[in-house]
């Protein structure tokens, strides 16, 4: 289970990094759109890194912060998804990110060190 936890955490880091790279190189976006996408990717990278720290045997504060960050990110992603689902076309990024953040939220709450 620990290995799967680490795979999901690193998956978040990679997914966020890909989002950042696409925000920078995607030529047709407006500056505000690219900045928004870049900040979202950076947030996913940071939460992923926090989960890597927690899953690698981080102390209890890493676990507490991971729980808070995972739940906040999950709340924001679900809230934005529900509020903007008609404006935004569904993308694999959103589905994969929701799955990974949801799994990491469960891992951070259930797994105790």
């Amino acid at each position: 289970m620990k290995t799967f936890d680490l795979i999901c955490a690193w998956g978040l880091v990679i997914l966020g990094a890909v989002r950042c790279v696409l925000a920078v190189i995607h030529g047709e976006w407006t500056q505000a759109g690219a900045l928004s996408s870049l900040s979202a990717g950076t947030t996913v990278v940071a939460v992923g890194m926090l989960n890597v720290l927690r899953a690698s045997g981080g102390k209890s504060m890493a676990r507490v912060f991971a729980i808070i960050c995972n739940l906040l990110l999950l709340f924001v992603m679900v809230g934005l998804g529900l509020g903007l689902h008609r404006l935004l076309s569904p993308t694999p990024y959103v589905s994969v990110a929701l799955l990974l953040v949801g799994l990491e939220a469960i891992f951070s709450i259930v797994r105790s060190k």
Side-chain angles (χ1 to χ4, degrees), residues 3 7 10 14 26 30-31 33-35 46-47 60-61 63 65 75 79 81-82 92 103 108 113:
T3 303
I7 290 170
W10 278 110
I14 292 167
H26 205 283
T30 64
Q31 282 183 335
L35 184 59
V47 170
S60 61
M61 286 308 292
R63 181 173 177 257
F65 289 147
F75 176 75
L82 292 175
L103 286 171
S108 63
K113 282 282 172 190

Side-chain angles (χ1 to χ4, degrees), residues 48-101:
M49 288 180 175
L50 183 57
N51 280 299
V52 169
L53 177 65
R54 176 198 47 80
S56 298
K59 300 295 181 197
S60 61
M61 286 308 292
R63 181 173 177 257
V64 170
F65 289 147
I67 290 170
I68 292 168
C69 288
N70 287 325
L71 292 176
L72 282 173
L73 186 57
L74 192 61
F75 176 75
V76 167
M77 290 178 75
V78 169
L80 285 176
L82 292 175
L84 300 175
H85 74 282
R86 290 191 178 139
L87 298 174
L88 301 173
S89 60
T91 63
Y93 172 82
V94 174
S95 301
V96 172
L98 272 171
L99 175 68
L100 291 175
V101 171

